[in-house]
Amino acid sequence: MIHAMIDIGSNTIRLAVYDIGPGEIELLMKKKHTVGLAAYIKDGMMKQEGIEKTCEILQEFKYFLDSFQITDITAFTTAALRNVKNSKVAVEEIIQRTGIALRVLSGDEEARLDFIGATHDSMESSGLLIDIGGASTEIVAYSDHKIYKKISLPIGSLYLHTKYVVDFLPSPTEAEQMMQEVRQMITSADAFKNVSHLNICGIGGTFKGAVILYNQLFQINRKNVEIPTETLTDIVWRFTRSKPMPSEEAVILMKTVPERIHTIIPGIIIASVLAQYFGSEKIIYSDSGVREGYIYDQLMGQ
């Protein structure tokens, strides 16, 4: 069965097409637009420009899928639209104008599906999973292959950049302000006060970009998917506006994360603060997440 998944996030809107067979899935292709929907939020409301942009991209995706006669489509949105005051009205308009049924995933659902997707083929029975998005961060603690704590924090890479940063890259003061907010957010999450784990399974665009950036900066094999957490703060301070940036580092940043230049450092700040809080020494990036989790859980019943 050919099935299309549309994921409307706070940073990107993605289309992924899968071939779903007995007990397995194969990713056939992906398309994405870096939109930054979180930047279209004003006074807690999604502006009409954000709705227009979303409709435009979904109509493009629908035209593509119609060309290949792909009719099995699942579309969902996460913090991009779930946290705004006009969520219901915005979603209804998008559905009416595009003809695509759109489901709003709760933070709890997103965290659960992240866990299912990222750990489906993992041999690790216990661990800590983090998904840093544009407007929210999902954290899941699991043991014996089961979730025992999960939370969705209303804080993300684009949220931090929009709130604190006046340029593409943060100043040292802006970086400190972002760190402080993340610390306050996680320390107020009582359920996670006694949680610790040496390794973090990181999913989502922030961790993907961070791994690529780390490999380039430290001349690590490009196939590497692990980051020592002690290097995260070093990466942050390399790319603040505190001093002239060496041209080779500027080139690396522009080549490795061109679509995330403005959000990658706020995202890494979130990862760094959380890693310190949980006493983690290593982050391992997983390319599977909420979309794959949805397929396993909702379409395959695994």
Side-chain angles (χ1 to χ4, degrees), residues 1-4 17-28 72 120-121 292 295-302:
M1 175 180 68
I2 305 299
H3 195 94
V17 180
Y18 297 88
D19 185 7
I20 303 175
E24 63 180 7
I25 63 174
E26 178 185 359
L27 176 64
L28 300 179
D72 291 319
H120 184 269
D121 298 320
E292 290 78 12
I295 292 173
Y296 289 129
D297 184 64
Q298 300 291 313
L299 303 181
M300 299 176 69
Q302 295 187 5

Side-chain angles (χ1 to χ4, degrees), residues 202-259:
I203 63 176
T206 287
F207 285 114
K208 182 177 182 178
V211 166
I212 297 172
L213 187 57
Y214 167 77
N215 290 345
Q216 287 289 317
L217 285 172
F218 296 95
Q219 300 180 339
I220 308 297
N221 188 298
R222 65 184 181 85
K223 294 183 179 180
N224 171 63
V225 294
E226 300 181 358
I227 309 176
T229 58
E230 63 186 14
T231 65
L232 294 176
T233 53
D234 175 49
I235 294 174
V236 169
W237 297 124
R238 280 178 188 240
F239 296 106
T240 56
R241 304 193 314 271
S242 57
K243 59 185 184 305
M245 185 184 302
S247 59
E248 60 270 22
E249 292 188 358
V251 169
I252 287 174
L253 185 65
M254 288 186 282
K255 287 181 66 175
T256 56
V257 287
E259 297 175 336

